[in-house]
Amino acid sequence: MASLGQYLDAAAHAVSVKDSATLALLFDVDSVHALGAVRSALGDRGMNVGELCEEKVGAYAPWDEIFASHCQCLGANAEGRYDDAFVAMQATIAAFVKDFRAQDTAWSLDALMNLVRGAVALATRADDEAERAGRQRKDGRLGDAGAALMLVYRNTANTSVWEKKSQCLFLVISLFKIYFKLNTLHLCKNLINAVNLPTFPTFDTFPVAQRVTYAFYVGRLAVFDDNFGVAEQHLEYAFRHCKSDSRRNKALILRYLLPVKLLMGKMPTAMLLQKYGLGEYVDVVSAMKSGNVRMLNDALKTHQISFIKQGTFLVLEKLRNIVLRTLFQKVHAFSAEKNPAKGNQVNLHMFLAALKWCGCDMDIDEVEMIMANLIFRKFVKGYISHKSRVVVLAKAGAFPAISYDDDRPKIAYLQN
Amino acid sequence: MGGDDWSFLDEEVARLERKGGKGGKGEGRRRRGGGGGGGGKRDATNEGRDAPFDEWSALDAELARIEGKGRSGRGETPARETHRREPPPPAHSHPPRQQREQREHQERQQQQQQQQQQQQQQQQLRRQSPPPPPAPKADDDEDPATRAAKMAERAARFANDASTRAEHAASNAASLKSRLGPPTPAPSNAKPNRHRGDEEHGARAAAKATGADAVTEDTARHAGHALVGTCESMCPDAERVDRERNGEIELFERVDPASPSSSSAQLCVKKFTRVVDNPSPSSIRTRTALDKTCAHLYGLLGGRCDYPDGEVSLLRRSNFLWDRLRSVRQDMGLQGLTAGGWAAARLEEMARFAIAAEYLLCENVATIHEPDGHNSHLHIEQLGKTLTTLAAVYADEGKNGEKESFPNRAEMTCYSLLLRMDDHGPFRNSASTFLAVLRAAPSDVQRSPEVQFALDARRAYAAVNAPAFFALVRSKRCSYLQACLLHKYFDALRYKALELANCVMNKSPLPMDAVAAEVLFEDSAAHAAEKCEACGLLVEREGESLWLRVKEAAFAEPGVEKAARRRRERWVERKAPAIKSANMFRWQALITGKVGR
């Protein structure tokens, strides 16, 4: 479409016959056609966009307005004024949604999704522009984009027209991405509740890519809330269903799945770590296998900055309990061998010596406290005699399997 | 998520539009139904208003309304209206706007922006302060309440209205309007508060407690340099005269300690009040006045931390300072003096004072019987806000062009982290709030010894490792102020340790001395026994000695009423920058950061 006039003609035609695909194409902010059409318009000083829109598309009442603001948006985008473009996009979306709400079929849904994508893209560009110009308004536009998306979501979800809901998951994950970027994680909870509502379409009706993304974000949120059982289920689902050729996505999922699995006591193979480039975990894993507390401390310290950036640092600190337990198991085995008669008793001083050998300098009180924690959190079963500084282990099942909220039922929609 | 709470806005808008439609400056229909570009979701839901809407006439009407009657404190509403009345220039569909016209508008706006900046610079030069940071310096993610306030990009002053600054924005608009020729509608970005949460739940809980307060103090900074204070004394004369007349002069401001109606310019300090109206510049203090005020206030603390009964207690001094420092912060915010080393220094001083006071007054808790006691909740809330604003000041650095270095950033980040290690009192914290503060800091701060100390402290606390925790407190790595903050968690940790011991030890009675020394790290067996009993554990008395009967009763987390009151403890006292024998406490050095950090 070489000229804006042609563009608008095509638009008018698309609207009149309710041509979903063409309309979607026309609303794509970065499409070549749009760019071409607008470029020509920019050069033409005599052109009056509003009038032209009214003339060409005026027959279809709200669409002339929608297209007018969309043209503004395209123009601003072409000239690199992303902030203006975003603001124009907000207007377009608002007008579009108004019309969409009234429609009883979902023919313009694809176009709406393109607008949503465009809004997010423009917001990001606008924020980058602001950042570069030094205007301190970090992520201002992205928040506005979030608000616009919420509006779209509300209009696509609260409707009796089934097809309108088909993009709901896409909107949810777009919103997740925005909230994660803005670090306003508490807003995600409402979205999850909405997805779990019975009125939400069945999980399986959505494309795999969206399901994987959704499971990924929900898993991450669960990790932040210490809900490891839930986290494991979601992240495992995401990993399983993620296509093997998207290596980067798999690595991303694994980056959060790994700490969860480690907390469950399940170790990855060295090959897995190498395949997905997760070198930071190599030392961590070997420390866990050998029970070397010092090695764990060092590993966590070395990669501290990157763990903090990923948000996994605090979670990995919990691994210490498992490492201590492993060490204690070795101490117990050694002690039982030396003194088979008192096989289920371990002197805390022996544990202290082992810890010292690992490089951890502690006093006996601290060792006793650590032991108390292990027993309290059910990593070890037994009791402590304070006077004699001895741990008496249970005769059977002294080292129970590690589990977190196991009594919860498996999550239904993740079972396949 | 609920957009329905904004329904009152619909009525407001309808009313304003009716007014706007009647007046009119004949600029033609610039908007039709398209609504304002700024304002995100709210605009969208109020879409579809096809009435002709001319922002200039509406602004006139608004102005008339404001000037006519006093403001009735509905600060929020009109602000949002003004936002919505200013559509972005290129975004508007209808009335035929040639692209050329748009470009000309932009040029004009840029000119105005330059004009405005020049103006500001002149003002600043007059006040002899460093060049102001570029006008919009919102760092919204940090401050919950400031979400509502946004600086418009495009120069026009009237777009400046933060949510509560509607009034002075309107007055600015009036003055600007006369100066500018054609109207230059600017995109304004009122952001609905709910969509932008913030990462600090503690601060949010605090903000909820005093919503409007948070808005006035911290939002105002984003209203930008809307105000320039002119009051050169610690208290504006008008206020002083008023209070003298009403007999409201407080003890520290009195010329004659017995009479509450006489004060002097050297003693009177501006009180904190919520700002609802357009405050006049003469009631806002200048930078030098604020410096003077702070120095005077800290001087009031005297040289001791404990005053004998005949003298004014630390409690009273601290309460007075709490209020007056809040006012200082408000004045700083109103004038946008919240950037750069000066602001950081003032805020850091306030933070250090708050931390020390919080510890020193921990025994004078406010209760129903003693309502004037130390209100820990309010102090911690203010501390949280101060640290948040401080974090924003730190984060803004570098945007001026010159990279300012903040030597105390690591220290303050450490305090922020220690504050968020766990729930305390009404403030809920969790791993994510802690992590958020940690992640916001640049990596050199993350590597600093202070932040590493905070991480170690948290590790020991989360692992319920009382020996390690108290060893950390005792060690040289822990400064006085850090110990003051950690003191909040002492008892919580002890109860957890007690729970552990009760569950995990074998069933033989333990001597309370051992419990005190090794489990609870308490000074005496008596205190240890008190804690045990508060948890519902059985304590047995055998003549002189106390025994804890382990495992014979279920552990019950002591609620607020039963929990033993906090006491000052030797762990912290040992580090105090004080000369015990002479009962001297080095307040000045502590506050300015020379000692105790």
Side-chain angles (χ1 to χ4, degrees):
Chain A
M1 280 158 258
S3 87
L4 200 56
Q6 286 180 331
Y7 175 85
L8 289 171
D9 280 335
H13 178 75
V15 170
S16 66
V17 301
K18 300 210 170 168
D19 180 354
S20 163
T22 319
L23 195 69
L25 199 61
L26 292 170
F27 270 116
D28 183 359
V29 166
D30 290 324
S31 82
V32 185
H33 303 287
L35 225 48
V38 167
R39 283 243 166 79
S40 67
L42 286 175
D44 179 357
R45 299 197 164 232
M47 162 143 19
N48 183 321
V49 175
E51 262 177 23
L52 196 61
C53 287
E54 228 175 297
E55 179 195 325
K56 303 269 181 180
V57 197
Y60 312 98
W63 289 96
D64 48 354
E65 195 183 302
I66 298 177
F67 272 106
S69 46
H70 190 66
C71 291
Q72 306 279 11
C73 171
L74 290 173
N77 188 22
E79 291 185 329
R81 290 179 284 124
Y82 297 119
D83 205 59
D84 302 335
F86 178 73
V87 171
M89 175 60 90
Q90 278 181 309
T92 317
I93 290 186
F96 195 107
V97 162
K98 231 182 21 171
D99 175 75
F100 186 75
R101 202 161 42 192
Q103 301 271 354
D104 48 356
T105 61
W107 69 273
S108 49
L109 189 61
D110 292 332
L112 184 56
M113 289 305 120
N114 263 343
L115 279 179
V116 160
R117 285 192 196 95
V120 176
L122 287 174
T124 325
R125 285 179 218 162
D127 282 334
D128 287 340
E129 187 184 49
E131 181 107 26
R132 262 177 283 128
R135 280 176 262 140
Q136 292 112 23
R137 206 176 38 155
K138 264 174 28 191
D139 304 326
R141 291 305 184 185
L142 203 53
D144 294 333
L149 257 74
M150 271 314 300
L151 171 73
V152 175
Y153 179 79
R154 253 181 278 129
N155 283 296
T156 51
N158 305 335
T159 170
S160 47
V161 180
W162 188 253
E163 298 88 39
K164 286 193 190 176
K165 294 196 193 187
S166 61
Q167 293 290 353
C168 278
L169 200 62
F170 169 70
L171 289 169
V172 168
I173 56 188
S174 304
L175 277 164
F176 274 156
K177 286 186 189 158
I178 293 180
Y179 292 150
F180 266 78
K181 190 134 186 251
L182 294 175
N183 203 17
T184 54
L185 299 177
H186 55 282
L187 292 168
C188 299
K189 198 174 258 195
N190 281 328
L191 286 174
I192 300 180
N193 289 341
V195 172
N196 288 336
L197 280 178
T199 54
F200 200 80
T202 335
F203 202 60
D204 290 337
T205 58
F206 295 105
V208 167
Q210 291 179 8
R211 279 185 273 150
V212 165
T213 317
Y214 178 76
F216 172 68
Y217 281 113
V218 176
R220 274 184 77 180
L221 281 166
V223 169
F224 283 134
D225 288 329
D226 286 356
N227 258 339
F228 299 119
V230 172
E232 193 195 11
Q233 285 187 52
H234 279 98
L235 289 170
E236 215 173 318
Y237 178 92
F239 192 68
R240 208 168 48 231
H241 290 263
C242 182
K243 295 238 272 264
S244 337
D245 40 347
S246 41
R247 173 74 58 101
R248 188 180 156 269
N249 285 345
K250 281 223 152 183
L252 213 58
I253 300 174
L254 204 52
R255 190 205 276 175
Y256 295 100
L257 182 55
L258 205 48
V260 176
K261 287 278 192 189
L262 285 175
L263 278 168
M264 305 280 206
K266 302 175 196 167
M267 313 284 174
T269 59
M271 210 183 61
L272 184 73
L273 291 178
Q274 200 191 30
K275 184 174 177 197
Y276 290 103
L278 295 166
E280 304 121 15
Y281 287 95
V282 169
D283 285 332
V284 174
V285 171
S286 77
M288 286 186 75
K289 286 198 178 138
S290 59
N292 190 335
V293 186
R294 183 47 156 236
M295 201 193 282
L296 179 73
N297 283 342
D298 287 342
L300 287 181
K301 197 143 197 170
T302 321
H303 302 286
Q304 196 184 69
I305 305 288
S306 52
F307 284 146
I308 291 178
K309 210 153 59 119
Q310 295 169 12
T312 47
F313 182 68
L314 293 180
V315 171
L316 289 171
E317 299 238 301
K318 295 191 207 267
L319 290 176
R320 206 165 268 117
N321 275 331
I322 302 186
V323 177
L324 285 164
R325 181 177 112 136
T326 312
L327 184 64
F328 185 69
Q329 266 173 299
K330 295 192 173 173
V331 172
H332 171 242
F334 178 72
S335 159
E337 211 181 288
K338 262 185 83 181
N339 203 339
K342 295 193 161 180
N344 65 333
Q345 292 183 20
V346 182
N347 195 320
L348 280 175
H349 284 99
M350 206 178 280
F351 197 20
L352 172 68
L355 283 165
K356 229 178 221 152
W357 179 82
C358 275
C360 287
D361 198 14
M362 302 178 180
D363 62 4
I364 191 71
D365 282 330
E366 195 173 338
V367 174
E368 189 173 332
M369 204 63 180
I370 290 177
M371 197 66 234
N373 265 290
L374 285 177
I375 298 178
F376 188 70
R377 290 175 211 277
K378 310 223 177 9
F379 286 99
V380 176
K381 213 165 162 193
Y383 67 85
I384 301 178
S385 163
H386 179 80
K387 233 182 297 187
S388 50
R389 305 282 193 180
V390 163
V391 185
V392 179
L393 296 168
K395 286 268 164 39
F399 297 97
I402 308 172
S403 77
Y404 299 85
D405 52 52
D406 238 5
D407 40 348
R408 276 230 225 148
K410 301 242 172 228
I411 301 178
Y413 62 81
L414 295 177
Q415 299 315 315
N416 61 345
Chain B
M1 271 200 331
D4 341 282
D5 296 354
W6 302 114
S7 53
F8 71 93
L9 273 179
D10 297 5
E11 305 155 52
E12 189 60 26
V13 167
R15 196 166 47 80
L16 283 167
E17 283 186 327
R18 263 176 272 134
K19 273 203 208 154
K22 291 183 198 141
K25 227 181 175 188
E27 268 294 327
R29 305 166 141 230
R30 198 158 319 98
R31 286 166 87 235
R32 216 178 57 84
K41 109 179 130 106
R42 238 179 304 101
D43 283 353
T45 53
N46 290 325
E47 239 16 309
R49 224 165 288 276
D50 281 333
F53 196 93
D54 183 310
E55 69 265 19
W56 280 109
S57 54
L59 208 52
D60 278 332
E62 186 65 24
L63 214 50
R65 193 161 64 91
I66 291 166
E67 283 162 358
K69 3 180 181 159
R71 219 67 213 87
S72 54
R74 268 196 312 173
E76 305 267 322
T77 339
R80 301 228 169 92
E81 298 328 294
T82 10
H83 280 297
R84 294 178 57 266
R85 272 181 264 125
E86 291 136 11
H92 277 290
S93 48
H94 273 269
R97 259 308 190 90
Q98 317 204 357
Q99 308 248 354
R100 180 170 45 95
E101 247 182 42
Q102 291 170 19
R103 272 190 230 122
E104 282 174 0
H105 269 273
Q106 284 165 28
E107 287 162 47
R108 251 173 296 175
Q109 283 156 11
Q110 280 168 11
Q111 280 175 0
Q112 283 139 21
Q113 204 168 19
Q114 286 166 6
Q115 275 177 13
Q116 179 200 355
Q117 280 180 358
Q118 282 171 6
Q119 245 192 327
Q120 283 177 2
Q121 283 190 351
Q122 285 170 8
Q123 282 179 346
Q124 294 292 346
L125 281 171
R126 261 182 270 127
R127 286 192 306 171
Q128 294 176 345
S129 44
K137 44 179 190 58
D139 193 25
D140 279 345
D141 290 353
E142 307 283 51
D143 238 329
T146 59
R147 213 66 80 265
K150 268 307 208 161
M151 286 286 288
E153 298 284 9
R154 286 38 192 346
R157 223 41 171 112
F158 57 72
N160 221 356
D161 38 13
S163 61
T164 52
R165 300 271 77 106
E167 300 75 13
H168 77 248
S171 68
N172 285 340
S175 57
L176 267 174
K177 215 169 69 164
S178 49
R179 247 182 303 136
L180 307 173
T184 50
S188 42
N189 312 290
K191 212 173 292 277
N193 279 356
R194 23 197 85 211
H195 269 299
R196 309 291 301 281
D198 72 303
E199 55 279 53
E200 296 159 351
H201 291 213
R204 223 165 30 110
K208 272 196 211 141
T210 51
D213 166 26
V215 166
T216 43
E217 281 158 46
D218 307 305
T219 315
R221 76 184 263 261
H222 299 290
H225 317 292
L227 287 169
V228 176
T230 58
C231 173
E232 286 291 346
S233 53
M234 298 195 294
C235 180
D237 290 326
E239 181 185 320
R240 179 161 59 86
V241 168
D242 249 339
R243 285 205 279 140
E244 280 178 342
R245 206 179 326 128
N246 296 336
E248 286 172 356
I249 303 291
E250 297 192 34
L251 179 66
F252 299 98
E253 302 167 315
R254 293 180 191 169
V255 170
D256 166 15
S259 138
S261 355
S262 70
S263 180
S264 80
Q266 282 73 39
L267 288 174
C268 193
V269 185
K270 183 177 172 194
K271 203 169 168 162
F272 174 80
T273 49
R274 298 192 180 197
V275 177
V276 276
D277 286 270
N278 187 10
S280 80
S282 63
S283 69
I284 301 185
R285 294 167 281 189
T286 62
R287 233 167 85 138
T288 38
L290 289 174
D291 272 334
K292 210 169 30 160
T293 312
C294 284
H296 173 80
L297 286 173
Y298 295 132
L300 285 177
L301 287 169
R304 306 193 185 173
C305 61
D306 280 312
Y307 290 89
D309 275 335
E311 300 180 29
V312 182
S313 65
L314 182 65
L315 176 62
R316 279 190 83 171
R317 294 170 204 245
S318 160
N319 283 345
F320 181 70
L321 251 73
W322 174 77
D323 180 79
R324 297 302 190 266
L325 285 175
R326 235 173 134 200
S327 172
V328 168
R329 232 165 31 92
Q330 184 185 49
D331 278 358
M332 281 173 72
L334 286 172
Q335 299 179 80
L337 292 176
T338 45
W342 178 82
R346 295 288 86 72
L347 291 168
E348 286 166 5
E349 288 167 2
M350 287 183 213
R352 292 194 193 104
F353 162 69
I355 294 173
E358 174 64 21
Y359 165 72
L360 290 167
L361 295 170
C362 66
E363 296 179 8
N364 313 35
V365 174
T367 60
I368 307 178
H369 307 290
E370 298 165 52
D372 282 330
H374 171 77
N375 194 329
S376 182
H377 170 113
L378 292 177
H379 270 246
I380 294 291
E381 181 186 43
Q382 287 304 308
L383 179 61
K385 285 209 209 129
T386 308
L387 287 170
T388 310
T389 316
L390 198 51
V393 173
Y394 290 143
D396 279 353
E397 58 126 326
K399 301 283 171 92
N400 271 355
E402 357 89 53
K403 213 144 174 70
E404 246 188 289
S405 70
F406 295 105
N408 300 321
R409 185 169 184 172
E411 179 200 355
M412 294 287 149
T413 312
C414 170
Y415 297 149
S416 271
L417 288 171
L418 290 179
L419 207 56
R420 289 173 175 83
M421 261 173 31
D422 193 10
D423 301 341
H424 49 89
F427 298 102
R428 301 273 144 259
N429 288 307
S430 69
S432 51
T433 52
F434 187 88
L435 199 60
V437 174
L438 188 57
R439 288 173 71 175
S443 53
D444 55 328
V445 172
Q446 284 173 355
R447 275 189 273 257
S448 65
E450 291 94 343
V451 172
Q452 291 295 316
F453 171 81
L455 289 176
D456 289 341
R458 185 191 182 270
R459 190 174 305 136
Y461 180 80
V464 192
N465 193 338
F469 184 83
F470 284 101
L472 211 54
V473 174
R474 196 193 306 134
S475 75
K476 283 220 183 316
R477 287 175 67 191
C478 178
S479 71
Y480 178 65
L481 289 174
Q482 286 165 340
C484 287
L485 273 175
L486 285 175
H487 180 254
K488 301 184 97 10
Y489 302 106
F490 280 12
D491 283 345
L493 186 62
R494 287 180 177 131
Y495 290 131
K496 289 204 184 120
L498 204 51
E499 183 181 7
L500 235 66
N502 192 43
C503 170
V504 141
M505 305 272 185
N506 65 338
K507 205 172 171 175
S508 67
L510 283 173
M512 199 51 79
D513 290 318
V515 173
E518 288 152 19
V519 178
L520 295 179
F521 292 85
E522 281 278 8
D523 290 345
S524 75
H527 287 125
E530 201 188 317
K531 296 230 157 56
C532 294
E533 282 173 339
C535 298
L537 298 180
L538 278 178
V539 176
E540 191 181 276
R541 209 166 279 268
E542 232 183 64
E544 279 300 311
S545 53
L546 294 160
W547 295 79
L548 173 67
R549 298 204 73 88
V550 185
K551 271 199 163 114
E552 292 195 17
F555 176 89
E557 176 101 34
V560 181
E561 315 80 36
K562 272 173 109 189
R565 277 164 76 118
R566 282 169 53 199
R567 298 170 0 256
R568 296 211 220 163
E569 301 199 27
R570 62 179 162 94
W571 302 100
V572 186
E573 291 294 322
R574 268 197 229 134
K575 299 182 188 264
I579 304 172
K580 282 286 159 51
S581 49
N583 193 11
M584 286 176 59
F585 190 83
R586 302 174 58 187
W587 277 110
Q588 290 299 330
L590 180 70
I591 288 175
T592 50
K594 286 213 203 69
V595 296
R597 48 188 300 231

